[in-house]
Amino acid sequence: IMLSRRIASRLRVMETPFYLYDTELLRQTLESVVNESKRYNYKVHYAIKANYDDRLLAIIREYGLGVDCASGNEVQKAIEAGFDPKSIVYAGVGKRDKELRYAIEQEIMAINCESIEELLVLDAMAAEAGRTVEVALRVNPDIDPKTNHCIDTGQADSKFGISYEEILDNAERIRSLKHLRIVGVHLHIGSQIRELHVFENMCQKVNVIVENLERLGFSFRFVDVGGGLGINYDMPENEPIPNFASLFAIVHNHLRVGDREVHFEFGRSIVGECGELITRVLFNKTTATGRKLLIVDASMTELIRPALYGSYHNIENITAETDRTDKYTVVGTACESTDRFDENVSLRRSVRGDLLTIKSAGAYGMSMASRYNLHDLPGAVYGEDLM
């Protein structure tokens, strides 16, 4: 049962909207990913962009995960949260000079480079700093991940990664960069992938890429196959913990990279299901076309995913007095027509003051929140404080 449903009466008195985090579920998820990855000696990094809440980071650190960062500030946040710099990888297509210099200074595990020009710039900066910097080549594998086109990152025309052909054409030049040590190859095909056979296809591509690059004189210590494992937004209660075991088994059965370390980067699959956005009904309203609107006090400023990518989140009224249902379009307070959480959703009859939970909001919820319309940023409540 969702945490919010178990403690609904206690949530009524709290100021909404806020994120409710089920820290017990987070721990169970981390236990699962750690135990399943240990079977194959795989290394797991947490994609901090999914959620950088301090309390959640402290729990994640307890389980020995590294961190995958997408900005200099994320690298700094990870280090300040106590993660070992040697467990931090830093990817991103547009790293600013000061971010690269900071990553060089901190001697993180690897900077994942995403263009030939970035490699040249980084080599010059490393020379300036009198250092040799460890680098992974982020290769664009040209794979359709069968996910929302807004969050696929591995197709040929994507802004992410260096094309495999370009690496082949520039292999000698890359290998001649004296202040870079190419230690890894990194691929990421996208996010919220639910069709696991996509990962088989990825492994086959990785096998070919690694073999051919090694033939050209590269030598990799690790292969980072990214993350992307999806969660069950439709019926979260049926699958509160994603199927890490199946993904790892697929990779184990199809990846052929010898004794190189294999790394994963999970964000959503670790924190997605442990977060709910709790919001209060402000008003009921019926449009001229007869559509029933439920106006709630959360908006796209707290959770932008539905407005940004048309994402679905399961919504439930956790304090309704009746089991009779109505069909509603649930809309937020922001001054934008796209600020709606769902259309034509069946909820228990909802009145002013009722609490709704917007489920599976632990990833890309708070981390993408904004202060548009000068809204306050949402607060956070943790299950372990209330039990």
Side-chain angles (χ1 to χ4, degrees), residues 44 47 84 89 123 125 140 143 147 176 192 222 251 257 261 263 312 342 354 368:
V44 176
D84 177 0
V89 289
D123 183 60
M125 284 182 180
N140 183 316
I143 291 174
T147 184
S176 72
Q192 187 47 22
F222 68 86
V251 172
V257 292
E261 287 175 11
H263 293 229
Y312 173 79
D342 202 358
D354 279 351
M368 294 174 87

Side-chain angles (χ1 to χ4, degrees), residues 238-253:
N238 289 1
E239 197 185 341
I241 298 174
N243 194 343
F244 296 110
S246 288
L247 170 58
F248 291 144
I250 285 171
V251 172
H252 177 69
N253 290 332

Side-chain angles (χ1 to χ4, degrees), residues 113-130:
C113 289
E114 308 214 14
S115 65
I116 301 295
E117 190 165 14
E118 184 185 347
L119 288 162
L120 301 175
V121 167
L122 186 60
D123 183 60
M125 284 182 180
E128 214 175 87

Side-chain angles (χ1 to χ4, degrees), residues 95-112:
K95 305 177 190 79
R96 296 179 183 88
D97 290 10
K98 70 172 186 179
E99 294 176 303
L100 285 171
R101 288 196 178 97
Y102 177 74
I104 291 169
E105 265 166 43
Q106 298 300 318
E107 297 187 350
I108 64 172
M109 183 183 126
I111 298 173
N112 297 350

